[in-house]
Amino acid sequence: MNDAAYEWASLAVGLLFFGGLFFLKKKHVHFGVRTLIATALGVVLGLLFPGHYTYIAAFGTVFSRVITAIVVPLLFFSIISSVTNLGTSIRLKAVGLKTVLFLLLNTLIAAIITLAASVALHIGAGFNYEPATEYAAKKVPSIIDTLVSLFPQNIANHWASGQVIPIVVFLLLVAVAYNKVAAKDAEKVEAFKKFIDAGNAVMGKVVSIVIGYTPYAVLSLIARQVSRSSVADLLPLLSVLVLVYVLCAVQLFLVEGTLLKIVGKVSPIQFFKNLWPAAVVAFTSQSSVGTIPVTVAQLKKQGVNEDIATFGASLGANLGMPGCAGVWPVLLAVFAINVLNIPYSPVQYLFLIVLSVVVSIGTVGVPGTATIVTTALFTAAGLPVEVIVLLSPISSIADMARTATNVIGAATATTLVAASEGQLKSDD
């Protein structure tokens, strides 16, 4: 057969594989299992048709484009919704501020540790990969220009050019303004709040729908990668997975344990004993939101005031999340930088840390969150989004560790807040 015939044959077999994945979905096969099967099918397709991936790769490219498109609308609703949910009472404001600070501190520490480890280990170096489109790294401006660029000027332009941080700053301003108006006349802005909450629910569903197509995108991009390289080139992905689990373990036990002991004067052993059921549910369900009831129940066993437990666990499922917003985005960013041989300065790496903390505000604690957060970071840093999809084969497995880290991080922040407010019962 000529090249054109091979291309069409590759597409036909790929569509047949897509049909198999759809059948598995109808049989309610777990999303992670389907993603792993898609990886294997992508490898098979790439081996069957070496050098012929043009048509089948289009599916992965489309997925990358759609994922990029929903980042800003998702941030718009989720950030305003999260901040306006803090409430208007003086006590809740104090609790809310402390909770936000501890949640963001968790993300900051996770991002710093991840950056140090991934840079030191040169994660991604030697991985044979070329993006589908020509890619040129963005030139990083001076420190002053960088600081100025953090603030909004033209929201439409920021959206069109993928500048995430100015949009986040603008959304925070809107949310703070809402809280001030609502404190004096809640009825006046009631319609606005309903619109934001409804939009947040709709965008959450959009994310769920788009993420549901991940197995097909994985098959497409893996087939393209294998078709133009060798299976051995994919082995470095295993090193990424191992490093994710190590970093999550460090964050979960060492960092959270240290914060509990030093800041909260709480026994880490007793804390982990009480919160272990929540970690298990998070690990298996891969949903921070779905784990909220268990987290609240276990926090009450830890001695945390019920109101603070409910507030902290709920906010922690939508803000911060050290696993999905600290570990994964930074690790993948360094992976992409090393794969593409991009010269990165210390200031640029520092900017990645800032980005990881900023995009962690207003996330959604459901499977697929890490992909959205990482896409936002990649977009702001000028890195190719398709690298994120390329690592999707291990993302589902990594998400178990990420979600457990998120939930325990939220529980730690909530416990520290309760301790600082005198709302933590002593074990004595």
Side-chain angles (χ1 to χ4, degrees):
M1 292 192 295
N2 55 32
D3 287 343
Y6 273 113
E7 292 285 2
W8 284 109
S10 174
L11 176 61
V13 175
L15 292 176
L16 181 63
F17 287 167
F18 281 175
L21 292 174
F22 182 77
F23 175 78
L24 293 177
K25 180 181 179 181
K26 289 298 182 180
K27 291 296 183 180
H28 304 292
V29 175
H30 190 272
F31 178 84
V33 175
R34 285 186 284 118
T35 302
L36 291 176
I37 293 174
T39 303
L41 293 176
V43 172
V44 171
L45 186 61
L47 292 175
L48 288 175
F49 301 95
H52 300 90
Y53 53 82
T54 303
Y55 298 148
I56 194 64
F59 292 94
T61 303
V62 169
F63 180 85
S64 298
R65 290 169 63 92
V66 174
I67 280 288
T68 303
I70 67 177
V71 169
V72 173
L74 177 65
L75 290 176
F76 176 84
F77 289 105
S78 62
I79 290 178
I80 296 179
S81 179
S82 294
V83 177
T84 55
N85 284 339
L86 291 178
T88 57
S89 69
I90 296 176
R91 181 171 176 271
L92 189 55
K93 281 185 178 179
V95 170
L97 180 59
K98 290 180 181 179
T99 305
V100 169
L101 290 176
F102 280 125
L103 287 171
L104 295 183
L105 176 63
N106 268 330
T107 304
L108 175 64
I109 295 174
I112 292 174
I113 293 175
T114 300
L115 180 64
S118 53
V119 169
L121 295 173
H122 303 287
I123 196 70
F127 188 83
N128 185 17
Y129 177 75
E130 295 179 4
T133 57
E134 184 178 351
Y135 168 75
K138 291 184 178 179
K139 182 179 180 181
V140 175
S142 66
I143 295 178
I144 296 298
D145 289 339
T146 298
L147 292 176
V148 171
S149 68
L150 297 179
F151 296 89
Q153 180 182 30
N154 185 310
I155 298 301
N157 286 343
H158 294 319
W159 187 341
S161 58
Q163 298 173 3
V164 176
I165 295 182
I167 295 176
V168 171
V169 173
F170 174 77
L171 296 177
L172 290 174
L173 178 62
V174 172
V176 170
Y178 166 87
N179 283 343
K180 289 185 176 296
V181 175
K184 296 180 179 179
D185 189 354
E187 187 175 347
K188 181 182 292 186
V189 290
E190 181 180 359
F192 176 79
K193 178 60 175 171
K194 287 183 177 179
F195 166 71
I196 291 298
D197 288 344
N200 192 39
V202 171
M203 286 309 303
K205 186 61 177 178
V206 170
V207 171
S208 176
I209 292 172
V210 174
I211 294 300
Y213 288 96
T214 297
Y216 306 100
V218 167
L219 190 156
S220 169
L221 292 178
I222 290 296
R224 188 193 75 194
Q225 182 62 22
V226 173
S227 181
R228 65 185 186 188
S229 59
S230 64
V231 178
D233 293 331
L234 298 176
L235 292 180
L237 293 183
L238 297 179
S239 65
V240 177
L241 181 61
V242 171
L243 184 56
V244 167
Y245 269 77
V246 171
L247 290 170
C248 284
V250 170
Q251 178 70 26
L252 198 156
F253 295 107
L254 182 60
V255 174
E256 310 296 354
T258 300
L259 289 174
L260 288 165
K261 185 67 176 179
I262 296 179
V263 180
K265 309 300 181 183
V266 174
S267 167
I269 296 178
Q270 186 63 36
F271 173 85
F272 289 120
K273 180 180 179 181
N274 287 329
L275 271 298
W276 187 249
V280 172
V281 172
F283 188 88
T284 53
S285 69
Q286 297 174 253
S287 173
S288 298
V289 170
T291 311
I292 288 176
V294 182
T295 306
V296 172
Q298 298 309 123
L299 281 171
K300 290 167 62 178
K301 287 187 178 181
Q302 174 64 24
V304 176
N305 171 276
E306 183 175 357
D307 291 336
I308 294 179
T310 302
F311 177 80
S314 300
L315 187 62
N318 293 275
L319 185 148
M321 299 204 288
C324 288
V327 173
W328 188 250
V330 174
L331 180 60
L332 263 62
V334 177
F335 180 90
I337 290 167
N338 288 332
V339 166
L340 298 171
N341 294 315
I342 304 172
Y344 242 58
S345 68
V347 173
Q348 289 173 289
Y349 280 122
L350 178 62
F351 194 56
L352 285 180
I353 299 296
V354 175
L355 285 173
S356 69
V357 175
V358 171
V359 299
S360 72
I361 302 173
T363 50
V364 183
V366 297
T369 295
T371 301
I372 298 299
V373 175
T374 306
T375 302
L377 184 145
F378 269 53
T379 301
L383 298 171
V385 173
E386 64 180 77
V387 174
I388 302 172
V389 183
L390 184 67
L391 275 83
S392 291
I394 63 170
S395 181
S396 183
I397 300 176
D399 196 42
M400 295 186 288
R402 293 192 310 244
T403 307
T405 304
N406 294 338
V407 168
I408 294 301
T412 298
T414 305
T415 302
L416 294 177
V417 171
S420 68
E421 290 286 311
Q423 299 293 323
L424 181 64
K425 296 179 181 179
S426 173
D427 294 331
D428 300 332

